[in-house]
Amino acid sequence: MKYIFDFDDVLFNNTTQFKEHIYTCLEKAGVSRNTAEEYYKKERVNPLHLKKILAHFSVREDLYEEIMVNSKNFSNEELFKIIRKIGKDNCYIITYGNKEFNLDKITRSGAGDLFHKRNVFIVSGSKKDIIEKICDKHKDEEVIFIDDKAYHFKDLDFKKYPNLRTILYTGQNLKPYLPRS
Ligand SMILES: [Mg+2]
């Protein structure tokens, strides 16, 4: 069985914890939460880079390091444990966003150690192509794609890839979906 994980709000507690952490740090640097939230909403369509946000608000550059240094605190340890059991050869990350920023988050969260580099993909559009390549390569195995956003499932071809299965992740226990050891 192969497993494809989304990063934000699956492997990494982005919305509930990391984003709040960013707001708190920005507030300390003099940017109100409202102002930061407004900017976030407006720019959300583009893959955001934290450095771009900091530059936009003209806050000191070393705030980036202060924000990122605690990234490990926001990782989903429950899932990390599961991934260690499943093993690197069976796990992938496909995440949407800015390449540099997301690679930094993946590395600093500790997730980077759990995946082969060749199995980590950061996309700026649909995840379909990469998912279907994985399904094609592992035709005789079930491929489970776990994401917190249902719209990433919409363009997938389940007829062509009957081995593909999706799980909408809301923090539920994934143990029932794992191979029995
Ligand atoms: Mg996500």
Side-chain angles (χ1 to χ4, degrees):
M1 234 187 270
K2 303 295 176 207
Y3 295 83
I4 303 169
F5 295 90
D6 172 40
F7 188 67
D8 283 336
D9 295 327
V10 176
L11 297 178
F12 189 70
N13 299 319
N14 193 62
T15 308
T16 53
Q17 297 180 4
F18 182 63
K19 224 161 141 187
E20 287 302 317
H21 170 63
I22 294 177
Y23 286 142
T24 306
C25 292
L26 279 173
E27 216 150 27
K28 278 184 198 156
V31 181
S32 80
R33 191 191 168 100
N34 270 351
T35 312
E37 271 179 343
E38 279 301 306
Y39 177 73
Y40 225 100
K41 257 187 237 161
K42 212 174 69 192
E43 292 288 315
R44 199 164 54 173
V45 278
N46 304 314
L48 267 188
H49 192 318
L50 179 59
K51 281 182 180 164
K52 196 180 145 198
I53 300 174
L54 300 183
H56 173 80
F57 291 117
S58 311
V59 291
R60 55 193 168 82
E61 263 174 36
D62 57 355
L63 195 65
Y64 180 82
E65 191 54 36
E66 274 177 50
I67 291 173
M68 296 300 286
V69 75
N70 296 319
S71 295
K72 267 204 167 75
N73 298 346
F74 311 116
S75 54
N76 185 337
E77 281 302 327
E78 279 300 304
L79 284 189
F80 277 26
K81 258 187 241 162
I82 286 174
I83 291 162
R84 277 185 204 105
K85 274 190 196 155
I86 303 170
K88 277 186 179 185
D89 291 340
N90 301 312
C91 293
Y92 299 80
I93 292 178
I94 306 179
T95 186
Y96 169 85
N98 174 279
K99 201 159 199 168
E100 188 197 338
F101 180 42
N102 276 276
L103 268 183
D104 203 16
K105 278 203 285 187
I106 288 169
T107 306
R108 292 184 192 238
S109 69
D113 299 333
L114 307 178
F115 293 81
H116 290 302
K117 270 202 180 84
R118 62 171 186 271
N119 288 357
V120 176
F121 301 90
I122 298 162
V123 297
S124 55
S126 169
K127 300 184 176 185
K128 178 185 167 81
D129 285 355
I130 297 162
I131 290 170
E132 294 189 346
K133 259 181 209 149
I134 295 167
C135 289
D136 218 21
K137 196 175 166 191
H138 303 285
K139 274 199 177 84
D140 302 330
E141 290 180 67
E142 198 169 15
V143 176
I144 300 182
F145 170 39
I146 302 145
D147 204 298
D148 67 300
K149 300 265 193 314
Y151 63 75
H152 286 300
F153 304 153
K154 275 187 182 164
D155 58 352
L156 300 171
D157 191 340
F158 295 96
K159 271 197 188 133
K160 198 171 171 192
Y161 300 99
N163 56 334
L164 175 61
R165 184 171 170 190
T166 56
I167 297 174
L168 184 65
Y169 187 70
T170 53
Q172 72 271 45
N173 187 354
L174 291 183
K175 278 189 189 140
Y177 304 96
L178 303 179
R180 282 188 211 151
S181 50

PDB file of all heavy atoms in Angstrom, residues 18 22 26 37 41 48 50-51 62-63 74 90 105 108 110-113 122 131 134 147 151-152 157 164 167 181:
ATOM      1  N   PHE A  18       0.103  26.972  13.535  1.00  0.00           N
ATOM      2  CA  PHE A  18       1.222  27.723  12.952  1.00  0.00           C
ATOM      3  C   PHE A  18       0.810  29.131  12.529  1.00  0.00           C
ATOM      4  O   PHE A  18       1.509  30.108  12.795  1.00  0.00           O
ATOM      5  CB  PHE A  18       1.808  26.951  11.767  1.00  0.00           C
ATOM      6  CG  PHE A  18       2.997  27.612  11.131  1.00  0.00           C
ATOM      7  CD1 PHE A  18       4.173  27.806  11.848  1.00  0.00           C
ATOM      8  CD2 PHE A  18       2.956  28.041   9.811  1.00  0.00           C
ATOM      9  CE1 PHE A  18       5.280  28.421  11.267  1.00  0.00           C
ATOM     10  CE2 PHE A  18       4.055  28.654   9.222  1.00  0.00           C
ATOM     11  CZ  PHE A  18       5.217  28.837   9.951  1.00  0.00           C
ATOM     12  N   ILE A  22       2.180  32.758  13.692  1.00  0.00           N
ATOM     13  CA  ILE A  22       2.616  33.851  12.809  1.00  0.00           C
ATOM     14  C   ILE A  22       1.932  35.162  13.218  1.00  0.00           C
ATOM     15  O   ILE A  22       2.574  36.200  13.353  1.00  0.00           O
ATOM     16  CB  ILE A  22       2.311  33.543  11.318  1.00  0.00           C
ATOM     17  CG1 ILE A  22       3.155  32.365  10.829  1.00  0.00           C
ATOM     18  CG2 ILE A  22       2.584  34.773  10.433  1.00  0.00           C
ATOM     19  CD1 ILE A  22       2.870  31.939   9.395  1.00  0.00           C
ATOM     20  N   LEU A  26       3.742  38.508  14.436  1.00  0.00           N
ATOM     21  CA  LEU A  26       3.549  39.758  13.690  1.00  0.00           C
ATOM     22  C   LEU A  26       3.022  40.859  14.605  1.00  0.00           C
ATOM     23  O   LEU A  26       3.445  42.011  14.519  1.00  0.00           O
ATOM     24  CB  LEU A  26       2.568  39.540  12.532  1.00  0.00           C
ATOM     25  CG  LEU A  26       3.136  38.912  11.256  1.00  0.00           C
ATOM     26  CD1 LEU A  26       2.013  38.599  10.275  1.00  0.00           C
ATOM     27  CD2 LEU A  26       4.169  39.815  10.586  1.00  0.00           C
ATOM     28  N   GLU A  37      -4.615  39.500   8.847  1.00  0.00           N
ATOM     29  CA  GLU A  37      -5.673  38.618   8.325  1.00  0.00           C
ATOM     30  C   GLU A  37      -6.215  39.128   6.990  1.00  0.00           C
ATOM     31  O   GLU A  37      -6.453  38.346   6.066  1.00  0.00           O
ATOM     32  CB  GLU A  37      -6.821  38.514   9.330  1.00  0.00           C
ATOM     33  CG  GLU A  37      -6.619  37.402  10.323  1.00  0.00           C
ATOM     34  CD  GLU A  37      -7.734  37.299  11.359  1.00  0.00           C
ATOM     35  OE1 GLU A  37      -8.495  38.282  11.508  1.00  0.00           O
ATOM     36  OE2 GLU A  37      -7.819  36.268  12.003  1.00  0.00           O
ATOM     37  N   LYS A  41      -6.093  37.035   3.478  1.00  0.00           N
ATOM     38  CA  LYS A  41      -7.299  36.742   2.701  1.00  0.00           C
ATOM     39  C   LYS A  41      -7.131  37.189   1.262  1.00  0.00           C
ATOM     40  O   LYS A  41      -7.471  36.497   0.313  1.00  0.00           O
ATOM     41  CB  LYS A  41      -8.499  37.476   3.315  1.00  0.00           C
ATOM     42  CG  LYS A  41      -9.403  36.570   4.131  1.00  0.00           C
ATOM     43  CD  LYS A  41     -10.630  37.347   4.549  1.00  0.00           C
ATOM     44  CE  LYS A  41     -10.772  37.326   6.055  1.00  0.00           C
ATOM     45  NZ  LYS A  41     -11.645  38.377   6.563  1.00  0.00           N
ATOM     46  N   LEU A  48       1.613  31.484  -0.820  1.00  0.00           N
ATOM     47  CA  LEU A  48       2.228  32.488   0.045  1.00  0.00           C
ATOM     48  C   LEU A  48       3.596  32.071   0.558  1.00  0.00           C
ATOM     49  O   LEU A  48       3.815  30.938   0.920  1.00  0.00           O
ATOM     50  CB  LEU A  48       1.318  32.755   1.248  1.00  0.00           C
ATOM     51  CG  LEU A  48       0.324  33.904   1.111  1.00  0.00           C
ATOM     52  CD1 LEU A  48      -0.351  34.148   2.438  1.00  0.00           C
ATOM     53  CD2 LEU A  48       0.998  35.180   0.629  1.00  0.00           C
ATOM     54  N   LEU A  50       6.209  33.189   3.572  1.00  0.00           N
ATOM     55  CA  LEU A  50       6.261  34.012   4.776  1.00  0.00           C
ATOM     56  C   LEU A  50       7.181  35.220   4.584  1.00  0.00           C
ATOM     57  O   LEU A  50       6.887  36.312   5.064  1.00  0.00           O
ATOM     58  CB  LEU A  50       6.725  33.149   5.958  1.00  0.00           C
ATOM     59  CG  LEU A  50       6.864  33.851   7.297  1.00  0.00           C
ATOM     60  CD1 LEU A  50       5.554  34.474   7.759  1.00  0.00           C
ATOM     61  CD2 LEU A  50       7.369  32.874   8.360  1.00  0.00           C
ATOM     62  N   LYS A  51       8.283  35.000   3.859  1.00  0.00           N
ATOM     63  CA  LYS A  51       9.221  36.117   3.633  1.00  0.00           C
ATOM     64  C   LYS A  51       8.542  37.272   2.896  1.00  0.00           C
ATOM     65  O   LYS A  51       8.844  38.433   3.130  1.00  0.00           O
ATOM     66  CB  LYS A  51      10.446  35.633   2.841  1.00  0.00           C
ATOM     67  CG  LYS A  51      11.435  34.897   3.722  1.00  0.00           C
ATOM     68  CD  LYS A  51      12.666  34.459   2.946  1.00  0.00           C
ATOM     69  CE  LYS A  51      13.610  33.717   3.887  1.00  0.00           C
ATOM     70  NZ  LYS A  51      14.620  32.940   3.153  1.00  0.00           N
ATOM     71  N   ASP A  62      14.871  39.182  10.459  1.00  0.00           N
ATOM     72  CA  ASP A  62      15.172  38.029  11.321  1.00  0.00           C
ATOM     73  C   ASP A  62      13.938  37.475  12.028  1.00  0.00           C
ATOM     74  O   ASP A  62      14.006  36.450  12.704  1.00  0.00           O
ATOM     75  CB  ASP A  62      16.289  38.346  12.330  1.00  0.00           C
ATOM     76  CG  ASP A  62      15.959  39.550  13.207  1.00  0.00           C
ATOM     77  OD1 ASP A  62      14.915  40.193  12.959  1.00  0.00           O
ATOM     78  OD2 ASP A  62      16.739  39.842  14.123  1.00  0.00           O
ATOM     79  N   LEU A  63      12.794  38.128  11.840  1.00  0.00           N
ATOM     80  CA  LEU A  63      11.540  37.591  12.377  1.00  0.00           C
ATOM     81  C   LEU A  63      11.217  36.252  11.706  1.00  0.00           C
ATOM     82  O   LEU A  63      10.595  35.375  12.312  1.00  0.00           O
ATOM     83  CB  LEU A  63      10.397  38.584  12.165  1.00  0.00           C
ATOM     84  CG  LEU A  63       9.132  38.321  12.987  1.00  0.00           C
ATOM     85  CD1 LEU A  63       9.397  38.479  14.475  1.00  0.00           C
ATOM     86  CD2 LEU A  63       8.002  39.261  12.575  1.00  0.00           C
ATOM     87  N   PHE A  74       4.568  22.229  15.748  1.00  0.00           N
ATOM     88  CA  PHE A  74       3.295  22.226  15.035  1.00  0.00           C
ATOM     89  C   PHE A  74       3.095  20.964  14.189  1.00  0.00           C
ATOM     90  O   PHE A  74       2.149  20.872  13.420  1.00  0.00           O
ATOM     91  CB  PHE A  74       3.174  23.478  14.160  1.00  0.00           C
ATOM     92  CG  PHE A  74       3.497  24.744  14.910  1.00  0.00           C
ATOM     93  CD1 PHE A  74       4.586  25.527  14.561  1.00  0.00           C
ATOM     94  CD2 PHE A  74       2.734  25.106  16.012  1.00  0.00           C
ATOM     95  CE1 PHE A  74       4.902  26.670  15.276  1.00  0.00           C
ATOM     96  CE2 PHE A  74       3.044  26.250  16.736  1.00  0.00           C
ATOM     97  CZ  PHE A  74       4.130  27.036  16.371  1.00  0.00           C
ATOM     98  N   ASN A  90       7.023   3.777   1.168  1.00  0.00           N
ATOM     99  CA  ASN A  90       5.589   3.727   0.880  1.00  0.00           C
ATOM    100  C   ASN A  90       4.884   5.067   1.064  1.00  0.00           C
ATOM    101  O   ASN A  90       3.663   5.134   0.963  1.00  0.00           O
ATOM    102  CB  ASN A  90       4.927   2.682   1.791  1.00  0.00           C
ATOM    103  CG  ASN A  90       5.527   1.315   1.574  1.00  0.00           C
ATOM    104  OD1 ASN A  90       5.674   0.880   0.438  1.00  0.00           O
ATOM    105  ND2 ASN A  90       5.904   0.656   2.652  1.00  0.00           N
ATOM    106  N   LYS A 105       9.402  24.505   5.695  1.00  0.00           N
ATOM    107  CA  LYS A 105       8.453  24.003   6.710  1.00  0.00           C
ATOM    108  C   LYS A 105       8.585  22.488   6.871  1.00  0.00           C
ATOM    109  O   LYS A 105       8.581  21.974   7.986  1.00  0.00           O
ATOM    110  CB  LYS A 105       7.000  24.328   6.295  1.00  0.00           C
ATOM    111  CG  LYS A 105       6.572  25.725   6.639  1.00  0.00           C
ATOM    112  CD  LYS A 105       5.055  25.836   6.751  1.00  0.00           C
ATOM    113  CE  LYS A 105       4.376  25.826   5.408  1.00  0.00           C
ATOM    114  NZ  LYS A 105       2.932  26.097   5.497  1.00  0.00           N
ATOM    115  N   ARG A 108      11.966  21.732   8.683  1.00  0.00           N
ATOM    116  CA  ARG A 108      12.013  22.148  10.086  1.00  0.00           C
ATOM    117  C   ARG A 108      10.980  21.449  10.957  1.00  0.00           C
ATOM    118  O   ARG A 108      11.160  21.330  12.167  1.00  0.00           O
ATOM    119  CB  ARG A 108      11.812  23.663  10.184  1.00  0.00           C
ATOM    120  CG  ARG A 108      12.974  24.462   9.611  1.00  0.00           C
ATOM    121  CD  ARG A 108      12.674  25.905   9.857  1.00  0.00           C
ATOM    122  NE  ARG A 108      13.531  26.823   9.147  1.00  0.00           N
ATOM    123  CZ  ARG A 108      14.268  27.739   9.756  1.00  0.00           C
ATOM    124  NH1 ARG A 108      14.280  27.821  11.065  1.00  0.00           N
ATOM    125  NH2 ARG A 108      14.991  28.575   9.048  1.00  0.00           N
ATOM    126  N   GLY A 110      10.372  18.423  10.844  1.00  0.00           N
ATOM    127  CA  GLY A 110      10.847  17.060  11.089  1.00  0.00           C
ATOM    128  C   GLY A 110      10.306  16.074  10.071  1.00  0.00           C
ATOM    129  O   GLY A 110      10.766  14.941   9.978  1.00  0.00           O
ATOM    130  N   ALA A 111       9.323  16.505   9.268  1.00  0.00           N
ATOM    131  CA  ALA A 111       8.726  15.609   8.269  1.00  0.00           C
ATOM    132  C   ALA A 111       9.756  15.201   7.213  1.00  0.00           C
ATOM    133  O   ALA A 111       9.695  14.094   6.677  1.00  0.00           O
ATOM    134  CB  ALA A 111       7.530  16.280   7.600  1.00  0.00           C
ATOM    135  N   GLY A 112      10.697  16.100   6.943  1.00  0.00           N
ATOM    136  CA  GLY A 112      11.717  15.824   5.932  1.00  0.00           C
ATOM    137  C   GLY A 112      12.483  14.535   6.196  1.00  0.00           C
ATOM    138  O   GLY A 112      12.884  13.840   5.258  1.00  0.00           O
ATOM    139  N   ASP A 113      12.646  14.193   7.477  1.00  0.00           N
ATOM    140  CA  ASP A 113      13.392  12.977   7.821  1.00  0.00           C
ATOM    141  C   ASP A 113      12.589  11.703   7.557  1.00  0.00           C
ATOM    142  O   ASP A 113      13.139  10.614   7.534  1.00  0.00           O
ATOM    143  CB  ASP A 113      13.761  12.992   9.318  1.00  0.00           C
ATOM    144  CG  ASP A 113      14.642  14.178   9.669  1.00  0.00           C
ATOM    145  OD1 ASP A 113      15.362  14.656   8.766  1.00  0.00           O
ATOM    146  OD2 ASP A 113      14.596  14.624  10.828  1.00  0.00           O
ATOM    147  N   ILE A 122       6.113  19.611  -4.326  1.00  0.00           N
ATOM    148  CA  ILE A 122       5.416  20.862  -4.012  1.00  0.00           C
ATOM    149  C   ILE A 122       4.883  21.411  -5.324  1.00  0.00           C
ATOM    150  O   ILE A 122       5.663  21.694  -6.237  1.00  0.00           O
ATOM    151  CB  ILE A 122       6.352  21.858  -3.323  1.00  0.00           C
ATOM    152  CG1 ILE A 122       6.814  21.250  -1.989  1.00  0.00           C
ATOM    153  CG2 ILE A 122       5.644  23.192  -3.072  1.00  0.00           C
ATOM    154  CD1 ILE A 122       8.034  21.893  -1.413  1.00  0.00           C
ATOM    155  N   ILE A 131      -0.216  12.362  -8.572  1.00  0.00           N
ATOM    156  CA  ILE A 131      -0.983  11.267  -7.955  1.00  0.00           C
ATOM    157  C   ILE A 131      -1.193  10.140  -8.961  1.00  0.00           C
ATOM    158  O   ILE A 131      -0.985   8.963  -8.656  1.00  0.00           O
ATOM    159  CB  ILE A 131      -2.348  11.789  -7.454  1.00  0.00           C
ATOM    160  CG1 ILE A 131      -2.133  12.702  -6.244  1.00  0.00           C
ATOM    161  CG2 ILE A 131      -3.269  10.635  -7.085  1.00  0.00           C
ATOM    162  CD1 ILE A 131      -3.357  13.452  -5.804  1.00  0.00           C
ATOM    163  N   ILE A 134       1.891   8.072  -9.604  1.00  0.00           N
ATOM    164  CA  ILE A 134       2.138   7.131  -8.502  1.00  0.00           C
ATOM    165  C   ILE A 134       1.199   5.921  -8.630  1.00  0.00           C
ATOM    166  O   ILE A 134       1.614   4.777  -8.477  1.00  0.00           O
ATOM    167  CB  ILE A 134       1.957   7.837  -7.126  1.00  0.00           C
ATOM    168  CG1 ILE A 134       3.034   8.929  -6.960  1.00  0.00           C
ATOM    169  CG2 ILE A 134       2.044   6.834  -5.978  1.00  0.00           C
ATOM    170  CD1 ILE A 134       2.782   9.903  -5.815  1.00  0.00           C
ATOM    171  N   ASP A 147      -5.942  14.141   2.282  1.00  0.00           N
ATOM    172  CA  ASP A 147      -5.882  15.604   2.171  1.00  0.00           C
ATOM    173  C   ASP A 147      -7.021  16.205   2.993  1.00  0.00           C
ATOM    174  O   ASP A 147      -8.068  15.576   3.167  1.00  0.00           O
ATOM    175  CB  ASP A 147      -6.019  16.025   0.696  1.00  0.00           C
ATOM    176  CG  ASP A 147      -5.409  17.389   0.425  1.00  0.00           C
ATOM    177  OD1 ASP A 147      -5.880  18.397   1.023  1.00  0.00           O
ATOM    178  OD2 ASP A 147      -4.465  17.461  -0.390  1.00  0.00           O
ATOM    179  N   TYR A 151     -11.446  19.589  -2.550  1.00  0.00           N
ATOM    180  CA  TYR A 151     -11.311  19.991  -3.956  1.00  0.00           C
ATOM    181  C   TYR A 151     -10.085  19.373  -4.625  1.00  0.00           C
ATOM    182  O   TYR A 151     -10.005  19.312  -5.841  1.00  0.00           O
ATOM    183  CB  TYR A 151     -11.361  21.515  -4.135  1.00  0.00           C
ATOM    184  CG  TYR A 151     -10.252  22.310  -3.487  1.00  0.00           C
ATOM    185  CD1 TYR A 151      -8.961  22.338  -4.027  1.00  0.00           C
ATOM    186  CD2 TYR A 151     -10.503  23.062  -2.346  1.00  0.00           C
ATOM    187  CE1 TYR A 151      -7.960  23.081  -3.429  1.00  0.00           C
ATOM    188  CE2 TYR A 151      -9.501  23.808  -1.742  1.00  0.00           C
ATOM    189  CZ  TYR A 151      -8.234  23.806  -2.285  1.00  0.00           C
ATOM    190  OH  TYR A 151      -7.230  24.545  -1.697  1.00  0.00           O
ATOM    191  N   HIS A 152      -9.153  18.885  -3.843  1.00  0.00           N
ATOM    192  CA  HIS A 152      -8.011  18.186  -4.440  1.00  0.00           C
ATOM    193  C   HIS A 152      -8.400  16.802  -4.980  1.00  0.00           C
ATOM    194  O   HIS A 152      -7.614  16.158  -5.662  1.00  0.00           O
ATOM    195  CB  HIS A 152      -6.869  18.052  -3.437  1.00  0.00           C
ATOM    196  CG  HIS A 152      -6.140  19.333  -3.179  1.00  0.00           C
ATOM    197  ND1 HIS A 152      -5.500  20.032  -4.179  1.00  0.00           N
ATOM    198  CD2 HIS A 152      -5.962  20.050  -2.047  1.00  0.00           C
ATOM    199  CE1 HIS A 152      -4.962  21.128  -3.662  1.00  0.00           C
ATOM    200  NE2 HIS A 152      -5.231  21.168  -2.383  1.00  0.00           N
ATOM    201  N   ASP A 157      -9.099  10.739 -11.608  1.00  0.00           N
ATOM    202  CA  ASP A 157      -9.794   9.784 -12.462  1.00  0.00           C
ATOM    203  C   ASP A 157      -9.828   8.409 -11.784  1.00  0.00           C
ATOM    204  O   ASP A 157      -8.919   7.598 -11.943  1.00  0.00           O
ATOM    205  CB  ASP A 157      -9.062   9.703 -13.816  1.00  0.00           C
ATOM    206  CG  ASP A 157      -9.867   8.949 -14.847  1.00  0.00           C
ATOM    207  OD1 ASP A 157     -10.777   8.180 -14.454  1.00  0.00           O
ATOM    208  OD2 ASP A 157      -9.589   9.108 -16.051  1.00  0.00           O
ATOM    209  N   LEU A 164      -6.861   3.838  -6.632  1.00  0.00           N
ATOM    210  CA  LEU A 164      -6.768   5.095  -5.880  1.00  0.00           C
ATOM    211  C   LEU A 164      -7.945   5.258  -4.921  1.00  0.00           C
ATOM    212  O   LEU A 164      -9.103   5.026  -5.282  1.00  0.00           O
ATOM    213  CB  LEU A 164      -6.725   6.275  -6.859  1.00  0.00           C
ATOM    214  CG  LEU A 164      -6.751   7.687  -6.249  1.00  0.00           C
ATOM    215  CD1 LEU A 164      -5.556   7.928  -5.337  1.00  0.00           C
ATOM    216  CD2 LEU A 164      -6.779   8.751  -7.360  1.00  0.00           C
ATOM    217  N   ILE A 167      -8.938   9.956   1.314  1.00  0.00           N
ATOM    218  CA  ILE A 167      -9.458  10.171   2.673  1.00  0.00           C
ATOM    219  C   ILE A 167      -9.444  11.672   2.935  1.00  0.00           C
ATOM    220  O   ILE A 167      -8.400  12.321   2.822  1.00  0.00           O
ATOM    221  CB  ILE A 167      -8.579   9.469   3.733  1.00  0.00           C
ATOM    222  CG1 ILE A 167      -8.599   7.955   3.529  1.00  0.00           C
ATOM    223  CG2 ILE A 167      -9.057   9.829   5.142  1.00  0.00           C
ATOM    224  CD1 ILE A 167      -7.632   7.210   4.442  1.00  0.00           C
ATOM    225  N   SER A 181      -0.028  -4.978  10.889  1.00  0.00           N
ATOM    226  CA  SER A 181       1.365  -5.421  11.046  1.00  0.00           C
ATOM    227  C   SER A 181       1.394  -6.640  11.964  1.00  0.00           C
ATOM    228  O   SER A 181       0.462  -6.923  12.673  1.00  0.00           O
ATOM    229  CB  SER A 181       2.192  -4.289  11.639  1.00  0.00           C
ATOM    230  OG  SER A 181       1.556  -3.770  12.784  1.00  0.00           O
TER     231      SER A 181
END
